[in-house]
Every structure is written in structure tokens, then in C-alpha cells.
Amino acid sequence: YLKISKLALAFAIIHSKPPGKTSKEHAEYLAKTVSEQNFGWKWKVEVLEAEVLRLHQELLLNRISPRFYLENRKQDTSAETLLGQESVNPASYSSQLEDSGCDVCNDSAFDSLGIASDFHQSEHNINTSKHWLERVLPLNFCHTSKEQSLTAPVHFLQRLLEIRKLSEGGILQADFSELENDSFTICNSVSQLLDGLTVFYNSPKFPSPSFLNEGVCVLISLITDTKLSNHVLKKCFKKMEEFKKNLIQIILRNRSINRFQALNSVSQMLGLLGRNNILRNSLILLLLSEVRWFAEQLLQAHQAQSMYDITQYENMFLLCMILEQLLQNETEHSNISSSDYGEEEKIKFLKNLDEIILHLSDEFPLFSLYLWRVSVLLNSGQMQ
């Protein structure tokens, strides 16, 4: 039946071809037309899905804090007017964003809009709430398609952080238990943010776009906030794990000549993720596994006098530095037992490590030194 159908389609194409075109050219034209129609439908579906997510975000904000939602809806007109003025003179807006930096402080996401100082000066002044809310960007603030993958979830998650700050100061009443009942909105928003960050880390631009810095600040604020981090990690832990694995692979696979500036920003992102206890433990396990695997591969190549991947060897030092930093911070600031890292992975890493260091120390002294320093931190008295 399939062969007959294909044959019938071929005859139909041949009979319907216009004069002056070959059957092959006509078939290619029809295939292109169909693919363009499919692309158009896919684009329409993506637009509708984005709109559905935006409506879910607004609904969730309304459930958490109706007053916050209503105040922002009232101020959308004034905010759009302000944005229209900024579009005439975009330099002032971009300079504000660039000033935000990448501080892991919870206030960093708000400093870029000039909000944090006003909030701290009048934390208990109820009139500050209206003035503060007037300066918040509307959720439907439009961007180009590439920026939208990052800015759309950033604005929603910024709203959550803003409600958190206001509720903590007694300015707003908020019910964050609503986050437990809406896994769709949280998961999709965080997933969009992580996917957007991954896209920009895969093909970095210098200097970094300001909205990339905003995305990093929002993500770090989310996972370090005592009230929101549990909700976010509970629903998005697998996505966060995938994000960490992607960042590690970006470091290992980057082969561009001028890659170290880009890789440095990725390694800083991993270090910031390690500020969270839950993410730190799993990140240490991932790094231990990667470093152990490479050390074993390097030993085999050295003993067989065969070639090894020198680019990956250079990139591996970034992972070693991140791993050492995480272990050092853990040793200095907590008494969490080593079982939290996964006893099995620790045993695998330390197994035959002295022999590996002994064989590699002459040819690869710096890498051997890093292996030794990591082993010392794993075996330190505070980690046992």
C-alpha cells in the first residue's frame, strides 16, 4: 500500500507540474511550500504557548498577592509610557542594567532598576509600596525573539522576588503556599530561564548583554532565598541538574582559541550555583566524576605513550578550580558529613589516586597538584 501511494503521489506531481519546470524542480518546490507551512504553524503554536504561560504567571501572582497584582495592573500604563521614553533614549536604561553586576545578594535583581535603595530607606512606610510598584516593569514587556527566551521568565521570577521582599517588610500580604499548587508555571518559567542562559553560554557575546546579567542575578536570588528556593528546587531539581551538566560540558567541549573569557563566566556561574547546599552537593559529585574520569584517561594515554586531548586538558583546570573552591568552602563553613557527597563517588575518586598522581606528576605536575589538593580536602577531618 505504501509503495502504491508513493507511486500515485509521484504521478500526481508529474502531471501537475507547470510548463518550463522539471518534475524534480516541481517536487522540491512543493516540499519547500509544505515545510514553510509547517514552520508557520509551529511558530503560531509557540506564540500561543508563550501567551498561555504568561496568563498562568499573572494568575499565580494574583493568587499569591492580589494587591500586588492589582497595583501593577493599574500602573501598566505609566510603566509603558516610561518604557516609551526609554526607547527614545535607550542608553539610560541599558546603563542601569549594566550597573546591576552579578552580586549574589538577594537585592541584586532590584538594584538594576534603582529599586532596592528606595525599599530599604522606607521599608516600613506603607506609602513606599505604591511608589515602588509604579517602577516595576509590566510582564508583557516586549523584546526580540532571542532576548524573549530569557527576559520573559526573568520578569515573572523578578515579580516573585519583589513580592517576597515586600511581604518580608510587612508592606504586602502574600501566600506562597500557592506555589505548591501550580507546578506548571514555576517549572516552565524556570526551565525557560535555564534554557535561555544555556543558549547564551553556548555562544557568548562580549560584553555580556545586560539581560543575561539580570537572568543570572534572578536565578541566584531564587536559589538563595530561604522561602522560595525550596519551592523552586522541589519542582525543578531535575532541570537544575541538567543545567549544571550542560555548563560542565560547555567548559569541556569549548575549543575556540579565545575561549577562556567565556569559560570563566561559565565557571563563575557554577560557583554561584554551589552557594545552595542542595545544588552544591550534587555539583561536587558531578565534578568528582568528571575529574576522576579524565585523570584515568590521561594515565592510560601517558602509559601507552599515545595522544591526549590537550584542549580538554586545559579546560579541565577550570573544573578542578571550581571543585577545590566548593570543597574548601564546605570545609571552612560547615560540618556536613562526607556522606552527603555520595560515599561511593568519593571512594571511586580516591581509589588508586596516589598511584595516578605518582605516574602523572613528572609530565603533568600542575594537574597532579590539583588532584592532591582535592584529595586532601576530601580526607580532611571536618569532612569525615
Side-chain angles (χ1 to χ4, degrees):
Y1 176 79
L2 183 60
K3 291 180 179 179
I4 294 174
S5 299
K6 289 181 178 180
L7 186 60
L9 177 61
F11 275 114
I13 292 174
I14 293 172
H15 283 298
S16 64
K17 73 178 182 69
K21 275 191 176 183
T22 65
S23 299
K24 180 180 179 182
E25 290 173 345
H26 185 52
E28 291 175 349
Y29 167 76
L30 293 176
K32 183 180 178 181
T33 302
V34 172
S35 64
E36 288 177 350
Q37 290 176 350
N38 288 338
F39 178 79
W41 280 110
K42 289 180 181 178
W43 180 80
K44 290 179 181 178
V45 169
E46 290 175 358
V47 170
L48 292 174
E49 287 177 344
E51 179 64 14
V52 169
L53 179 59
R54 186 186 67 81
L55 294 174
H56 274 281
Q57 291 170 343
E58 290 191 354
L59 181 61
L60 179 58
L61 292 177
N62 186 31
R63 288 174 176 172
I64 293 174
S65 181
R67 179 187 161 197
F68 179 90
Y69 177 77
L70 291 174
E71 287 288 345
N72 276 278
R73 295 292 291 179
K74 291 177 183 178
Q75 299 304 327
D76 275 354
T77 303
S78 61
E80 289 171 0
T81 303
L82 175 62
L83 292 173
Q85 295 172 353
E86 292 291 356
S87 65
V88 176
N89 185 15
S92 59
Y93 178 69
S94 63
S95 64
Q96 285 180 335
L97 290 179
E98 289 169 1
D99 287 343
S100 64
C102 192
D103 193 350
V104 296
C105 173
N106 286 346
D107 298 335
S108 60
F110 319 114
D111 288 339
S112 62
L113 300 179
I115 295 170
S117 59
D118 293 339
F119 176 70
H120 290 298
Q121 288 174 0
S122 313
E123 186 173 0
H124 301 290
N125 187 345
I126 204 69
N127 293 327
T128 304
S129 174
K130 184 175 181 180
H131 171 68
W132 198 84
L133 292 172
E134 286 175 359
R135 304 177 65 181
V136 177
L137 292 174
L139 271 179
N140 57 354
F141 179 49
C142 296
H143 295 268
T144 60
S145 57
K146 188 174 182 181
E147 294 179 6
Q148 187 69 24
S149 64
L150 198 58
T151 53
V154 164
H155 288 163
F156 165 68
L157 296 173
Q158 276 181 330
R159 291 283 180 96
L160 281 181
L161 291 166
E162 290 156 7
I163 293 175
R164 170 81 171 96
K165 294 292 289 187
L166 290 175
S167 64
E168 190 178 40
I171 297 176
L172 280 177
Q173 290 184 347
D175 181 13
F176 288 99
S177 63
E178 290 292 336
L179 294 174
E180 295 288 347
N181 304 323
D182 196 345
S183 59
F184 168 83
T185 304
I186 292 295
C187 289
N188 279 270
S189 300
V190 174
S191 294
Q192 278 191 1
L193 174 58
L194 297 179
D195 289 341
L197 289 173
T198 302
V199 168
F200 282 99
Y201 279 129
N202 263 312
S203 52
K205 294 182 180 180
F206 298 101
S208 300
S210 55
F211 55 84
L212 177 63
N213 296 332
E214 289 294 307
V216 171
C217 291
V218 167
L219 178 60
I220 300 307
S221 296
L222 274 177
I223 66 174
T224 54
D225 187 284
T226 54
K227 180 167 281 189
L228 295 178
S229 61
N230 290 335
H231 295 289
V232 173
L233 293 178
K234 184 186 298 184
K235 301 179 184 301
C236 309
F237 183 76
K238 290 184 178 180
K239 189 67 179 182
M240 293 294 296
E241 289 296 290
E242 180 185 342
F243 179 60
K244 290 186 295 185
K245 291 177 182 179
N246 288 337
L247 293 183
I248 290 174
Q249 292 306 313
I250 288 173
I251 290 177
L252 292 177
R253 295 175 181 176
N254 195 314
R255 297 181 174 276
S256 62
I257 297 176
N258 300 317
R259 64 186 182 276
F260 295 105
Q261 184 180 4
L263 295 184
N264 183 59
S265 64
V266 179
S267 63
Q268 287 178 352
M269 180 76 253
L270 283 171
L272 292 172
L273 292 175
R275 300 291 181 93
N276 180 276
N277 290 334
I278 298 175
L279 296 179
R280 178 171 59 249
N281 294 339
S282 60
L283 179 57
I284 288 174
L285 290 179
L286 289 173
L287 293 172
L288 282 174
S289 177
E290 289 291 345
V291 173
R292 174 181 58 83
W293 178 85
F294 183 79
E296 292 173 352
Q297 296 298 311
L298 188 62
L299 177 61
Q300 292 179 9
H302 177 64
Q303 291 176 336
Q305 295 297 307
S306 58
M307 297 292 294
Y308 65 94
D309 191 337
I310 189 170
T311 302
Q312 193 174 53
Y313 173 77
E314 294 172 345
N315 295 342
M316 185 60 62
F317 282 100
L318 285 171
L319 298 189
C320 291
M321 287 187 284
I322 298 168
L323 178 58
E324 183 182 11
Q325 176 189 351
L326 294 176
L327 292 175
Q328 184 69 39
N329 291 340
E330 194 66 39
T331 303
E332 291 177 352
H333 302 297
S334 82
N335 292 317
I336 297 177
S337 67
S338 60
S339 61
D340 287 341
Y341 305 123
E343 189 66 26
E344 182 180 353
E345 189 58 47
K346 176 186 172 183
I347 293 173
K348 285 182 180 180
F349 184 86
L350 295 175
K351 183 180 180 181
N352 301 325
L353 185 63
D354 291 338
E355 181 182 351
I356 293 175
I357 294 175
L358 178 63
H359 285 88
L360 296 180
S361 57
D362 289 339
E363 190 72 21
F364 309 99
L366 184 58
F367 183 67
S368 300
L369 178 62
Y370 268 110
L371 292 178
W372 175 78
R373 288 162 66 167
V374 169
S375 68
V376 169
L377 290 170
L378 284 174
N379 286 319
S380 62
Q382 291 180 330
M383 306 264 306
Q384 294 177 354

